[in-house]
Amino acid sequence: MASTSSSAAVVEERESGRKRKRGGATGESEGSEEVQPSKWRTRGVHEIYSSKLLDAIRLVRSGSGSPASAAAGTAAAAAAAAASAAPQRSRAVREAADRALAVSARGRTHWSRAILASRRRRLKAARRARLREPASPASRHPTSPPGKGPKAPALARKAKVLGRLVPGCRKLPFPALLAEASDYIAALEMQVRAMTALAEVLSTVSASSSGTSSSPA
Amino acid sequence: MSSRRSRSRQSGSSRITDEQISDLVSKLQDLLPEARLRSNDRMPSSRVLQETCNYIRSLHREVDDLSERLSELLATSDMSSAQAAIIRSLLM
């Protein structure tokens, strides 16, 4: 009725105002799913993500600065943490960036939920589980789908590889996997753009601040 | 991937048709960097999947390199909250 048409118009207007880019030709309106890769190209989401990214890596910096040996417990672990500080920090940065990316996805995609959920699980259970499990039961008999003859197993194999690459998508059916992959790729591209911009800004700031004597603020 | 057969497997909403799949594959193909060079003529699905996997891996590598670079930058610089505000404004 009139209410639905007006609400649809409002949604459309909001979306077009959000898009703000040159070729926003998404008049197809993929449905209410909103798993459109184009939403990762807006300036708004880039700014939101950059801000979250900055906060996240600042936390990483302060987190690694605090005596991690207290949390590690054993002296050996503390020594190991100090020795491997650099790769640990970059991994922490990577994980923080991924988490910020998943948050920016607003939880509508499998991969974003998997990233946010896996953090706690990975810290505790998965480490032990990985030591126990010999290998994931990947022997799903690649010759099972008799659909299109010799083409099917290759496709299934590649789909499985793709499912392993996109977080949280190992058991998704094929169409959902493709949709997740396209959204994930768009999100990763935005992540690269934002991290590159941040690295440029930081290197400029640190270069200028080291050039001039910075007074303690 | 038996869900490609649009038969009794689907308990949920939609039946998976080949057309749906080829539509998704072509969308995926449009995202690939190669697609901007080609005339967007249809690549075989296996090729699209392969290129997708390669592209995701390369993006992961790029993110890892950037994380390393950012961690090095963080280690050397000391960021006060005022500096963070400046950086934030520079990013916007």
Side-chain angles (χ1 to χ4, degrees):
Chain A
M1 314 299 182
S3 59
T4 53
S5 66
S6 65
S7 63
V10 165
V11 166
E12 218 175 7
E13 184 186 1
R14 210 186 319 145
E15 272 200 9
S16 62
R18 243 191 334 187
K19 291 250 161 84
R20 251 200 298 175
K21 57 179 171 70
R22 353 17 154 207
T26 48
E28 311 176 9
S29 73
E30 270 301 309
S32 48
E33 278 279 315
E34 216 198 295
V35 188
Q36 299 178 25
S38 56
K39 70 173 185 175
W40 289 104
R41 295 211 151 252
T42 67
R43 212 179 135 193
V45 69
H46 188 122
E47 292 180 0
I48 291 175
Y49 178 66
S50 299
S51 181
K52 286 192 168 67
L53 181 63
L54 186 58
D55 292 337
I57 62 180
R58 284 191 78 202
L59 281 178
V60 166
R61 192 184 62 93
S62 57
S64 62
S66 66
S69 55
T74 65
S84 63
Q88 260 200 6
R89 222 179 10 244
S90 75
R91 196 166 16 140
V93 168
R94 165 83 198 266
E95 288 179 2
D98 284 346
R99 275 202 312 275
L101 189 67
V103 165
S104 305
R106 297 174 187 273
R108 287 177 193 269
T109 49
H110 279 88
W111 63 264
S112 58
R113 291 194 288 264
I115 286 181
L116 293 175
S118 75
R119 187 193 171 208
R120 251 175 239 161
R121 268 188 242 147
R122 201 178 297 168
L123 286 181
K124 296 171 188 179
R127 232 174 249 169
R128 288 180 234 142
R130 236 185 288 148
L131 292 175
R132 279 200 212 132
E133 272 187 40
S136 57
S139 59
R140 276 202 138 204
H141 216 52
T143 62
S144 59
K148 287 178 184 166
K151 233 192 294 177
L155 208 50
R157 236 190 358 251
K158 297 195 197 305
K160 197 175 287 284
V161 171
L162 185 60
R164 281 205 298 266
L165 278 177
V166 183
C169 293
R170 284 170 203 246
K171 296 185 181 172
L172 281 190
F174 194 58
L177 176 61
L178 293 187
E180 289 282 324
S182 54
D183 190 71
Y184 188 53
I185 285 181
L188 280 180
E189 288 174 344
M190 191 211 70
Q191 186 179 24
V192 165
R193 284 197 299 271
M195 288 175 82
T196 307
L198 182 58
E200 293 297 314
V201 166
L202 275 183
S203 60
T204 309
V205 165
S206 67
S208 62
S209 67
S210 63
T212 68
S213 59
S214 56
S215 57
Chain B
M1 297 296 158
S2 54
S3 62
R4 278 197 283 144
R5 275 171 295 163
S6 56
R7 272 195 230 154
S8 56
R9 178 77 175 166
Q10 282 305 316
S11 57
S13 42
S14 59
R15 306 221 165 175
I16 311 301
T17 62
D18 279 348
E19 190 180 333
Q20 208 172 344
I21 289 192
S22 74
D23 183 53
L24 283 171
V25 166
S26 67
K27 274 210 200 87
L28 206 51
Q29 182 183 341
D30 289 338
L31 282 181
L32 297 178
E34 269 201 20
R36 292 166 212 154
L37 306 173
R38 294 165 150 263
S39 60
N40 284 15
D41 205 12
R42 294 274 299 275
M43 290 198 280
S45 315
S46 63
R47 179 79 198 278
V48 173
L49 284 189
Q50 181 67 50
E51 294 299 322
T52 304
C53 294
N54 294 341
Y55 189 43
I56 290 184
R57 279 198 209 105
S58 77
L59 283 174
H60 279 168
R61 268 201 307 271
E62 232 178 305
V63 171
D64 279 335
D65 291 342
L66 282 170
S67 310
E68 206 173 312
R69 193 175 158 199
L70 280 176
S71 72
E72 285 170 15
L73 283 170
L74 280 178
T76 54
S77 74
D78 208 11
M79 213 192 311
S80 66
S81 56
Q83 279 178 315
I86 294 176
I87 290 172
R88 205 184 301 268
S89 65
L90 282 175
L91 287 171
M92 299 302 162

